[in-house]
Amino acid sequence: MANIIQAVRGMREVLPDKTALWQRVEKVAREVLGAYGYQEIRLPLLEKTELFKRSIGEVTDIVEKEMYTFEDRNGESLTLRPEGTAGCLRACLEQGLLHNQQQRLWYYGPMFRHERPQKGRYRQFYQLGLETYGMAGPDIDTEILLLTDRLWKRLGIRDKLELQLNSLGSIEERLVYREQLVAYFSKQPELLDEDSQRRLLTNPLRILDTKNPEMQVLVANAPELMDALGTESREHFLAITAQLDDLGIAYRINTRLVRGLDYYSKTVFEWVTTELGAQGTVCAGGRYDGLIAQLGGKPNHAIGFAMGMERLLSLVELVPNVSAEAVVDVAMILVGAAAESVGFRFAEAIRDTIPGLKLLVNCGGGSLKSQFKKADKSGARCALIIGEDELAQNHVSIKDLRIETAQQSCSQAETLAYLKNHFS
Ligand code: ATP
Ligand code: MG
């Protein structure tokens, strides 16, 4: 064992006993996204470092200290994507997908951030993200909240999540607010921790996002961004809350919600749970109308979100009786070389006839008894047996592994009919 190479810290595999649940969640998510007319986009894992610096912002946690950045063999600085928004927008701008058209897109895959690994926080983690372009809202803002609400309901976790909403206003409004905030925090600089002292100069809004318990009172008494919003931002926000009220979607306005990335404007939101400990934000997003021009495109509207799949999966696992799909429906037991060749051919015929059936054919020989044990362990509902007796009669024995019944002897045609009856 001493010589076995270990995985990179914070990068985990999903083992086979968990993949069924992942696939179930992925399938439900695809269905829900499809139900709202969203299309998948597949993006590279590597992008030029410049893309993330210019979009996420130089003084964010991600760009300051979390990126996996390296020089490739040509000396170009590349970064493993820490999130999907920048790459998605880069692709759409480069491929001309934003010319006089709206887009509703989603992507799925691993992201990379050099953070301190802990429960719900890894260095490679999966995100399912959604981005829309070309719609000013507030209707599209409501739509993506509705979509997530539907996803939680389909997964049986709606009661475990709270929707928190805020508005960050326009860039101009934030500048005014920024001054108020700097004035407020500068009155008592001794109450700021080291991070916040630095942020006071670089990015004071981020102080509101501090996790330091000793600063909570100070933060709670800070001026409210909501009060600094102009008419347009305020109306946008009120229209969303009115639509949510109308549709019966519960939410809580959290005026301290600022999000970790710099490109947001107006609507920001998080879906938060109290059931996963410190890492409680399962899905987070917002509007980022300024980013398209910032990346060199014609000014346009954008709103999106990303959900952390590991956190989502942990939550789904808390639902009682989340029954994973069967890995194996039917196990085929083959005793002897002649039975093996007949069995292999018959197994192919079964797969031709019932493509969805999960059929596990015994490989590697073994006695009838040991093969029965394996069949039982596989979770299969029934076993098909071909041994010497069956061969002699050109038959197959069918044995239900879960209900105590007698073994039946059937022709291959009868066996196919039996399987169709029970499994399709
Ligand atoms: P946090 O405050 O938890 O660090 P964030 O603001 O950095 O989150 P986003 O960049 O908005 O997160 O990413 C969206 C979602 O992706 C998060 O809400 C979370 O569910 C998930 N996520 C982010 N970072 C990680 C990570 N290191 N490991 C696992 N999931 C993560
Ligand atoms: Mg983070």
Side-chain angles (χ1 to χ4, degrees), residues 62 66 82-83 113 115 120-127 206 209 211 259-261 264 270-271 278-285 305-312:
I62 292 181
E66 294 176 0
E83 53 103 60
R113 297 184 194 176
E115 304 195 66
R121 193 175 290 288
Y122 309 100
R123 291 182 175 178
Q124 175 178 325
F125 59 98
Y126 277 76
Q127 274 186 347
R206 291 275 298 147
D209 200 30
K211 309 276 187 301
R259 307 285 307 112
L261 294 79
Y264 288 108
E270 290 191 359
W271 288 92
Q279 267 55 253
T281 302
V282 171
C283 173
F305 63 73
M307 56 182 83
M309 288 298 286
E310 287 78 3
R311 295 182 197 179
L312 180 56

Side-chain angles (χ1 to χ4, degrees), residues 11 62 94-95 106 122 129 217 220 234 237 251 255 311 313 343 363 392 394 400:
M11 308 208 174
I62 292 181
E94 193 174 344
Q95 303 297 336
W106 63 273
Y122 309 100
V217 176
R234 202 181 287 269
F237 188 69
Y251 57 88
T255 55
R311 295 182 197 179
L313 262 288
C363 285
N394 201 14
D400 195 307

Side-chain angles (χ1 to χ4, degrees), residues 5 9 114 163 166 212 262 270 283 363 373 405 414 419:
I5 296 174
R9 187 165 136 80
H114 196 278
L163 171 59
N166 193 19
N212 184 349
D262 276 355
E270 290 191 359
C283 173
C363 285
K373 261 197 194 155
T405 49
E414 286 164 348
L419 294 177

Side-chain angles (χ1 to χ4, degrees), residues 10 61 90 113 127 166 175 190 253 273 301 316 369 377 391 397 414:
D61 282 353
R90 193 271 308 142
R113 297 184 194 176
Q127 274 186 347
N166 193 19
L175 280 176
E190 68 284 356
I253 296 172
T273 180
H301 303 285
V316 172
K369 196 173 157 207
K377 212 176 145 197
L391 270 184
S397 293
E414 286 164 348

Side-chain angles (χ1 to χ4, degrees), residues 136-197:
D139 42 7
I140 186 70
D141 309 40
T142 306
E143 178 180 285
I144 67 174
L145 294 171
L146 265 178
L147 183 156
T148 37
D149 177 77
R150 179 174 296 276
L151 177 59
W152 314 143
K153 283 181 184 148
R154 285 281 310 270
L155 294 171
I157 55 170
R158 180 60 183 90
D159 60 338
K160 301 181 189 301
L161 285 161
E162 181 188 63
L163 171 59
Q164 299 188 3
L165 267 185
N166 193 19
S167 176
L168 297 183
S170 65
I171 293 173
E172 297 75 30
E173 288 155 0
R174 268 209 309 285
L175 280 176
V176 174
Y177 175 66
R178 190 189 153 115
E179 278 176 29
Q180 295 173 7
L181 208 57
V182 171
Y184 169 78
F185 284 125
S186 304
K187 268 192 289 185
Q188 18 200 356
E190 68 284 356
L191 296 180
L192 294 174
D193 61 17
E194 202 180 308
D195 255 358
S196 302
Q197 283 177 11

Side-chain angles (χ1 to χ4, degrees), residues 228-398:
L229 296 190
T231 317
E232 201 209 323
S233 295
R234 202 181 287 269
E235 278 173 2
H236 188 108
F237 188 69
L238 286 177
I240 296 168
T241 53
Q243 275 175 328
L244 292 176
D245 290 339
D246 189 42
L247 292 157
I249 311 256
Y251 57 88
R252 184 164 75 80
I253 296 172
N254 174 0
T255 55
R256 296 293 172 230
L257 190 68
V258 290
R259 307 285 307 112
L261 294 79
D262 276 355
Y263 48 55
Y264 288 108
S265 59
K266 291 191 179 149
T267 318
V268 287
F269 63 89
E270 290 191 359
W271 288 92
V272 183
T273 180
T274 52
E275 301 194 33
L276 296 179
Q279 267 55 253
T281 302
V282 171
C283 173
R287 180 163 282 283
Y288 51 95
D289 288 344
L291 185 60
I292 301 182
Q294 205 174 305
L295 286 182
K298 209 169 114 201
N300 204 339
H301 303 285
I303 183 166
F305 63 73
M307 56 182 83
M309 288 298 286
E310 287 78 3
R311 295 182 197 179
L312 180 56
L313 262 288
S314 301
L315 211 51
V316 172
E317 280 182 318
L318 297 179
V319 179
N321 310 319
V322 280
S323 58
E325 237 182 278
V327 180
V328 175
D329 297 318
V330 177
M332 189 181 278
I333 291 174
L334 304 171
V335 187
E340 279 170 15
S341 84
V342 169
F344 254 68
R345 248 180 294 130
F346 184 43
E348 289 310 303
I350 295 174
R351 293 180 180 122
D352 287 341
T353 314
I354 317 173
L357 184 83
K358 292 164 182 159
L359 173 64
L360 186 77
V361 177
N362 184 76
C363 285
S367 67
L368 184 68
K369 196 173 157 207
S370 73
Q371 290 195 40
F372 254 116
K373 261 197 194 155
K374 277 202 272 175
D376 187 44
K377 212 176 145 197
S378 76
R381 251 165 65 200
C382 85
L384 306 179
I385 305 117
I386 306 179
E388 255 172 52
D389 294 350
E390 286 84 1
L391 270 184
Q393 301 177 50
N394 201 14
H395 264 205
V396 178
S397 293
I398 305 176

